[in-house]
Amino acid sequence: MSTSPTYRLSVFDSIDDGHHTDYLAYLIHQFSHKPEVELLLIVPESFIQSFKNNRQIWGFDLGNNIHFHALDTLTIQHLHGQSIYKRSIAEWNLYVEISEAWEASHGLLMYFDYFQLGMLFGKKAHFQLGGIYFRPNFYYRKASWKSAFMKKCMLRLSTYRTSMKVLFSLDHKAVKHIRPLLGKTQVMRISDPVRAYEVSAEELKAFREHWHIPSNKKVCLIFGYLDPRKGIEAFLQSTQHLTPEELSQICLLVAGAISPGYQAHLEKLIQQFPDLEVISIFQEIKGKDIQLCFESADLVLMLYQNHVGMSSVLVRASISKKVVLGTHYGLLGKLIQSMHLGLVVDAQSPIQIAEQLEQYLNLGIGYSKEQMEKMEQENSEKAFADTLYEGLFL
């Protein structure tokens, strides 16, 4: 009887917030059930501590085949304190050194976009490599020809120099544009993974009471890492174009991690809109509380400013069967429209946002429940991990 082959997979990610931590948690959970894979995660010490402390609450497994190499606070500060160009090379070189000392047979860059310069000018990797490509926006109509040319050249050269086995694209429409640039490197679509949690009526009621979320208003949710790209300012400005009666019907729920500086800015800005009820949950939200945020909402706002690629927020909205008011730009706009998940708008225009809010309040927004279910199924954490396994090892 032959034994199963053993793969030694090293994974690198120096960022400890947002989708980065979610993706890592999904990988750990799913690969804990694949004993033929030894998995080394080269990640911030803060992530390791948080995961180990909370994994049982969040419902994640940790197998004996999962190993960690901690990047301490000083190392992270040194890496992130450099220019993006120097950082790319420094992080890549560190990744290669640690992986080869561990005798990795395969590697996975959780954020391929950052490392192309390092792959081109840094150390040579002697193991098969995969990477997740977040922003292949060189094919967008709005992209300048110079930017598109540089991105395509960097993609071609960096993957040629390394033993790049597979590139996973979160932007499914980009695959046909990427494939001609990569020679022998395989290109695969990959889902934007989201975990669904079971939420009881009692838990939802308790959550709404704890955060004083009204039941007599339309709750508009802005969720995720909160920064200027989320379009919060544009939404606030749009409310100036609503009638007092319309304004009294809505409540803005803003939920997610935030920097101290941007939090101070937002709190000051919100004070300028006293007639709008705003509920702020300024903290990192994990596990079942994510689901509770979406279950508490009526409308999910995705007013991203020139966002490129996919977003897990769209998947989470579909899981909770909530309609979306989102940007018309890029992949998100195309998905919202083509799958009938809500309305799209020029996210930089407060007047257009107000017009769509008026339509929502007065006429409602149609959506396809079947397409929401399809979105949920295609973007499960299992589908994510299975695609990675297939592309890296098979």
Side-chain angles (χ1 to χ4, degrees):
M1 180 174 166
S2 62
T3 58
S4 299
T6 299
Y7 307 107
R8 293 176 66 83
L9 172 65
S10 67
V11 173
F12 185 92
D13 197 335
S14 70
I15 303 175
D16 186 15
D17 64 45
H19 66 265
H20 295 267
T21 55
D22 291 338
Y23 284 18
L24 291 171
Y26 300 148
L27 265 188
I28 293 169
H29 176 69
Q30 293 292 328
F31 275 71
S32 290
H33 302 280
K34 299 183 185 297
E36 71 275 20
V37 180
E38 291 286 328
L39 178 61
L40 174 67
L41 293 107
I42 307 165
V43 291
E45 189 174 45
S46 54
F47 167 79
I48 300 171
Q49 293 173 347
S50 176
F51 180 83
K52 289 183 175 180
N53 291 340
N54 295 288
R55 70 177 185 83
Q56 291 180 324
I57 299 172
W58 298 339
F60 289 102
D61 293 331
L62 178 59
N64 294 328
N65 60 329
I66 309 298
H67 314 282
F68 295 100
H69 182 106
L71 303 174
D72 60 35
T73 303
L74 288 177
T75 300
I76 295 293
Q77 289 176 347
H78 172 70
L79 291 170
H80 291 188
Q82 302 180 66
S83 71
I84 192 65
Y85 308 109
K86 290 182 178 179
R87 174 181 164 186
S88 174
I89 298 173
E91 291 197 12
W92 167 259
N93 286 344
L94 179 62
Y95 172 53
V96 172
E97 289 172 9
I98 296 171
S99 298
E100 297 200 334
W102 187 66
E103 298 183 344
S105 61
H106 295 75
L108 176 64
L109 295 168
M110 298 299 288
Y111 209 123
F112 166 81
D113 308 48
Y114 275 154
F115 294 99
Q116 293 176 80
L117 202 65
M119 294 163 68
L120 187 56
F121 295 109
K123 292 178 178 290
K124 179 77 172 176
H126 297 95
F127 48 89
Q128 290 192 328
L129 191 69
I132 302 176
Y133 199 6
F134 276 73
R135 295 188 171 90
N137 61 337
F138 54 79
Y139 75 96
Y140 279 34
R141 290 180 180 177
K142 286 189 176 181
S144 71
W145 71 267
K146 186 180 294 185
S147 172
F149 177 77
M150 290 298 295
K151 279 205 165 191
K152 287 191 282 188
C153 285
M154 184 62 71
L155 177 61
R156 185 192 296 270
L157 292 172
S158 62
T159 52
Y160 271 25
R161 182 174 187 264
T162 57
S163 49
M164 195 83 184
K165 182 177 188 290
V166 59
L167 189 65
F168 303 98
S169 177
L170 281 166
D171 185 340
H172 295 180
K173 294 183 181 298
V175 169
K176 66 180 181 181
H177 301 280
I178 296 172
R179 187 169 284 121
L181 302 172
L182 295 193
K184 295 181 180 180
T185 300
Q186 186 181 6
V187 187
M188 296 179 67
R189 295 168 45 159
I190 194 166
S191 64
D192 197 348
V194 170
R195 165 172 282 210
Y197 298 87
E198 292 292 332
V199 173
S200 67
E202 292 75 19
E203 288 173 317
L204 180 57
K205 180 181 178 183
F207 182 85
R208 294 183 72 116
E209 288 177 350
H210 176 78
W211 293 105
H212 308 289
I213 300 172
S215 58
N216 62 339
K217 292 187 176 184
K218 297 293 186 182
V219 178
C220 303
L221 172 67
I222 294 179
F223 180 88
Y225 186 79
L226 303 172
D227 60 22
R229 298 176 300 172
K230 279 291 193 292
I232 303 171
E233 287 89 343
F235 177 82
L236 291 173
Q237 292 165 9
S238 76
T239 63
Q240 294 177 318
H241 302 282
L242 299 178
T243 66
E245 180 183 358
E246 290 168 337
L247 193 58
S248 69
Q249 296 178 48
I250 63 175
C251 167
L252 176 62
L253 172 59
V254 184
I258 190 171
S259 69
Y262 192 61
Q263 178 175 340
H265 165 74
L266 267 191
E267 289 173 341
K268 185 177 180 181
L269 183 62
I270 288 169
Q271 291 176 2
Q272 300 175 25
F273 300 86
D275 296 327
L276 173 66
E277 182 174 4
V278 181
I279 297 168
S280 304
I281 308 178
F282 290 145
Q283 63 186 46
E284 185 177 20
I285 300 170
K286 288 290 185 181
K288 192 173 285 189
D289 283 347
I290 297 174
Q291 194 86 19
L292 288 166
C293 281
F294 282 81
E295 296 293 339
S296 298
D298 298 287
L299 177 67
V300 176
L301 300 173
M302 301 185 67
L303 303 172
Y304 299 163
Q305 306 296 295
N306 288 333
H307 178 82
V308 175
M310 183 54 172
S311 170
S312 61
V313 171
L314 186 61
V315 184
R316 295 192 187 282
S318 294
I319 290 172
S320 298
K321 303 300 181 286
K322 306 296 180 178
V323 291
V324 171
L325 175 58
T327 176
H328 68 350
Y329 181 77
L331 178 63
L332 279 183
K334 291 178 182 177
L335 286 174
I336 295 169
Q337 286 183 298
S338 64
M339 298 186 73
H340 304 291
L341 304 177
L343 295 174
V344 296
V345 66
D346 181 349
Q348 296 180 339
S349 171
I351 293 177
Q352 288 192 28
I353 295 170
E355 290 173 350
Q356 299 292 47
L357 284 172
E358 289 172 353
Q359 177 177 332
Y360 168 67
L361 292 171
N362 298 314
L363 300 174
I365 300 177
Y367 67 94
S368 169
K369 184 178 179 181
E370 292 75 17
Q371 290 291 338
M372 286 183 172
E373 291 172 349
K374 180 182 178 183
M375 175 70 73
E376 176 182 357
Q377 293 167 2
E378 290 182 348
N379 292 278
S380 69
E381 62 176 86
K382 185 178 185 304
F384 174 74
D386 287 348
T387 302
L388 288 175
Y389 187 95
E390 177 186 349
L392 288 167
F393 305 130
L394 301 184

